[in-house]
């Protein structure tokens, strides 16, 4: 017989049992996988139903415990500046509308300029406006239940106020819609309106127009002009009271008339005296009476002319103290005229500055960047939130989804073999964590 080598047995892969092969192939089919999950959920329907009704009860309790919110809505329109560059650009754009074929080009977009609505929104978002509202409505205590004893800081309150406030600007109509949400309907409307008030105040403080600067200058100049007018009027009145000078021209004319009348009476009395001296003696009653009258007339004439040498000896309350003499009147008239002219100049300057000041105030009011209120915020008739049906519905749906994920995930985990890397990793991590906890418990404090 012929010698042969060792027989080689061919190696074949172990065949899978037909039943297990069918189960394996059917398990990895897409349609069957979904059907298995549905069947699994149906078998665990008690767990799903329990999660659903418990979530519904908890969601209803939470939804009714949530505080009610109300909205205060105010719509404002930026004011128009007739004298500014925007108005000029608008006129130019309107004039060229016929040649542009009705394109409706916006000059602000052509030049890359910002709209006034965006500026007003940024002003209302500023820290200055927020702090004014916080102090005005005491929001540091209003937003928190513990604010009565421990008021929150400005930083946290600003973030809370910002989260409750919403600004929306319509680019086409330039209408700004301000919406403020609060727990109280009256407070919501009041704060929404207060935003507009603080916007106008801060815009007026930031105003740097030509009319504003002119008004500030005229206001300061008007104060100094008023002081100069008061000083000039006081000097004139003191001079008039001291020297008894009211109107030098009329007063001099009156004194000339009075002196002429006294002079005429004196001449007539002297002529009459000479005639009586030829008839009667010097001791006659008529002669003595006429001489006394002549002496009085001469004394009055000297006082009018200012020829009295002993002016200091004149009795107090005499006519010489009531008015100046004719010789002193020209010098006093010059001084009076100079003081009167200064007073009139200051009065004219004051009147002119007053007119310019009023015109500057009117122009400033025209150029003041104020906003016009289209809709004033009023207390809301209905609450804006929370929507309790939506809260309950979303909570129940979220609970059902979590229950389904839990059931499918637990089933998938149970199907893993003992030597699966995922099981080994979880076992290793859990073992390390338990060992760490045991060491922490045993370690002395």
């Amino acid at each position: 017989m012929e010698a042969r080598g060792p027989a080689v047995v061919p190696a074949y892969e172990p065949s899978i049992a037909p039943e297990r092969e069918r189960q394996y192939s059917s398990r990895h089919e897409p349609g069957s996988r979904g059907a298995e999950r549905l069947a699994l959920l149906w078998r665990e329907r008690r767990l799903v139903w329990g999660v659903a009704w418990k979530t519904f009860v908890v969601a209803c309790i939470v939804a009714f415990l949530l505080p009610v919110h109300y909205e205060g809505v105010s719509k404002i329109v930026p004011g128009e500046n007739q004298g500014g560059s925007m108005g000029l650009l608008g006129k130019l754009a309107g004039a060229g509308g016929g040649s542009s074929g009705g394109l409706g080009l916006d000059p602000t977009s052509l030049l890359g300029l910002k709209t006034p609505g965006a500026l007003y929104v940024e002003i209302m978002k500023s820290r200055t406006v927020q702090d004014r509202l916080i102090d005005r409505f005491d929001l540091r205590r209003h937003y928190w239940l513990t604010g009565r004893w421990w008021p929150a800081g400005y930083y946290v309150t600003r973030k809370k106020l910002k989260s409750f406030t919403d600004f929306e600007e319509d680019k086409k109509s330039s209408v700004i819609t301000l919406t403020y949400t609060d727990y109280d309907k009256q407070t919501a409307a009041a704060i929404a309106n207060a935003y507009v008030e603080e916007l106008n105040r801060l815009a007026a403080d930031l105003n740097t127009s030509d009319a504003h600067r002119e008004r500030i200058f005229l206001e300061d100049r008007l104060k100094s002009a008023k002081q100069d007018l008061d000083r000039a009027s006081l000097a004139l009145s003191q001079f008039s009271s001291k020297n008894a000078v009211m109107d030098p021209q009329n007063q001099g004319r009156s004194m000339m008339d009075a002196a002429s009348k006294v002079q005429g009476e004196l001449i007539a009395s002297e002529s009459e005296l000479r005639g009586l001296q030829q008839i009667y003696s010097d001791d006659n009653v008529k002669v003595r009476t006429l001489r006394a009258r002549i002496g009085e007339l001469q004394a009055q004439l000297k006082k009018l002319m200012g020829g009295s040498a002993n002016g200091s000896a004149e009795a107090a309350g005499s006519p010489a103290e009531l008015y100046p003499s004719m010789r002193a009147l020209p010098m006093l008239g010059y001084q009076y005229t100079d003081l009167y002219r200064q007073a009139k100049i200051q009065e004219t300057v004051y009147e002119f500055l007053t007119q310019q000041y009023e015109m500057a105030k009117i122009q400033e009011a025209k150029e003041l960047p104020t906003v016009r209120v289209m809709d004033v915020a009023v207390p809301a008739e209905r609450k804006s939130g929370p929507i309790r049906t939506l809260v309950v519905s979303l909570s129940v749906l979220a609970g059902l989804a979590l229950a389904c994920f839990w059931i499918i995930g637990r089933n998938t985990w149970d199907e893993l073999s003992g030597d699966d890397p995922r099981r080994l990793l979880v076992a290793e991590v859990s073992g390390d964590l338990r060992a760490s906890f045991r060491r922490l418990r045993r370690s002395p404090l």
Side-chain angles (χ1 to χ4, degrees), residues 393-432:
S393 301
L394 292 179
S395 300
V396 171
L397 290 177
L400 290 174
L402 290 176
C404 293
F405 283 132
W406 167 257
I407 294 171
I408 295 174
R410 185 184 61 182
N411 182 71
T412 304
W413 179 262
D414 293 339
E415 291 180 353
L416 295 177
S417 61
D419 58 349
D420 190 272
R422 289 171 287 184
R423 276 185 174 273
L424 296 177
L425 176 62
V426 172
E428 182 179 358
V429 172
S430 60
D432 294 342

Side-chain angles (χ1 to χ4, degrees), residues 76 78 115 117 121 167-177:
I76 57 179
T115 59
V121 171
F167 303 97
E168 183 181 356
E169 178 189 4
D170 189 357
K171 301 296 183 181
K172 295 183 178 179
S173 62
S174 299
V175 176
I176 302 174
T177 303

Side-chain angles (χ1 to χ4, degrees), residues 230-246:
D230 293 340
R231 284 195 295 267
S233 301
L234 181 60
L236 179 61
S237 60
Q238 289 178 351
F239 180 81
S240 299
S241 300
K242 181 180 179 180
N243 299 283
V245 178
M246 298 298 178

